[in-house]
Amino acid sequence: MPMVASVSMRSLPTPYRALVVGSSGAIGAAMVQHLQADPRCAAVLGLSRSSQPRIDFDDEASVAQAARALHAQGPFHLIVNAAGLLHSELGLPEKRLAQLNYAQLTQTFRANTFGPALLLAHFAPLLARERAVFALLSAKVGSVGDNRLGGWYSYRASKAALNMLVKTAAIEVARQQPDAVLVALHPGTVASALSAPFRGAEIGRAPAVAAADMLAVLDGLRPQDSGGFFSYTGQALPW
């Protein structure tokens, strides 16, 4: 991990428990490392397709099974979903309407929208009843109001839909857990496999830096911010 400022989630109770979904990816792994280094963190668990329990957004049952398996290890004060999909063997993000197809649309929505929706459904009950944060990585290109370039159809749409799910879930969760914060979070361009085809290695920030930025933003959010869409800089983004 590059030398970056240490992260301490001071707004969370001492000790706190954390859970990172997508811990095998660049951002997720960096978040786990930061949280493990925080002396105030009692435990941080990482979930991925290869973890135990495993979680796979292409396997609906695995999400519920993972939540049941982790119930006894909770409650959790911090849950972050760092899993997502920008491109795959089906192709790069669509630049034109003529490139749209069911296979790529379905795959993108399963990874970026449907899986995270199930995560909200099954893991929100694992949040602590005191101060707790549930963040799902979104993307600025999912902002309808900020879309000036077009293209990237399924990715943009899947993240816009994710933002609505987070907003809606935040309203419901607040009725029983007024101290909980549910947010969509834009990580910026990060040097990772996801951004590699788009000059990510040249223009992206190191995963350790990106993870530290985002954890710092989450640490500063308050219940009135729940349901919001934020950048790694802390800026509120337009829907």
Side-chain angles (χ1 to χ4, degrees):
M1 178 182 291
M3 293 297 294
V4 295
S6 60
V7 173
S8 182
M9 304 294 287
R10 298 185 180 279
S11 71
L12 299 179
T14 303
Y16 70 88
R17 304 179 66 81
L19 175 64
V20 178
V21 179
S23 59
S24 61
I27 295 176
M31 283 193 168
V32 168
Q33 291 176 355
H34 276 303
L35 294 167
Q36 287 174 334
D38 185 355
R40 302 181 65 255
C41 184
V44 54
L45 305 179
L47 290 181
S48 67
R49 289 190 180 98
S50 57
S51 65
Q52 289 297 328
R54 64 183 286 273
I55 194 165
D56 183 349
F57 289 165
D58 283 329
D59 178 2
E60 181 177 353
S62 75
V63 183
Q65 290 166 356
R68 287 195 297 269
L70 294 176
H71 184 270
Q73 298 185 53
F76 296 95
H77 301 89
L78 176 65
I79 300 177
V80 179
N81 176 49
L85 177 71
L86 176 56
H87 56 85
S88 71
E89 71 284 354
L90 294 179
L92 296 174
E94 314 94 337
K95 293 183 178 180
R96 301 183 302 279
L97 282 169
Q99 295 176 321
L100 292 176
N101 62 87
Y102 262 21
Q104 189 166 356
L105 282 162
T106 301
Q107 184 186 49
T108 304
F109 269 79
R110 284 172 75 97
N112 295 339
T113 312
F114 304 156
L118 292 175
L119 199 68
L120 283 167
H122 293 290
F123 281 76
L126 301 187
L127 286 172
R129 291 288 170 172
E130 50 193 330
R131 160 78 172 170
V133 179
F134 197 148
L136 295 94
L137 264 60
S138 183
K140 189 175 181 181
V141 296
S143 167
V144 176
D146 190 61
N147 184 358
R148 296 176 178 83
L149 297 176
W152 289 32
Y153 282 87
S154 58
Y155 186 72
R156 284 184 186 273
S158 68
K159 293 298 189 178
L162 171 64
N163 292 348
M164 177 59 84
L165 287 163
V166 172
K167 174 69 173 178
T168 306
I171 294 171
E172 178 179 346
V173 170
R175 294 177 184 139
Q176 299 296 324
Q177 295 171 256
D179 291 328
V181 178
L182 278 66
V183 292
L185 187 60
H186 167 56
T189 302
V190 180
S192 67
L194 183 143
S195 66
F198 312 100
R199 296 178 57 224
E202 301 172 44
I203 64 175
R205 291 150 32 251
V209 174
D213 289 342
M214 288 185 282
L215 290 172
V217 170
L218 297 180
D219 194 44
L221 296 178
R222 295 295 177 261
Q224 57 266 34
D225 298 313
S226 192
F229 180 23
F230 293 91
S231 170
Y232 67 92
T233 63
Q235 175 190 10
L237 297 174
W239 296 116

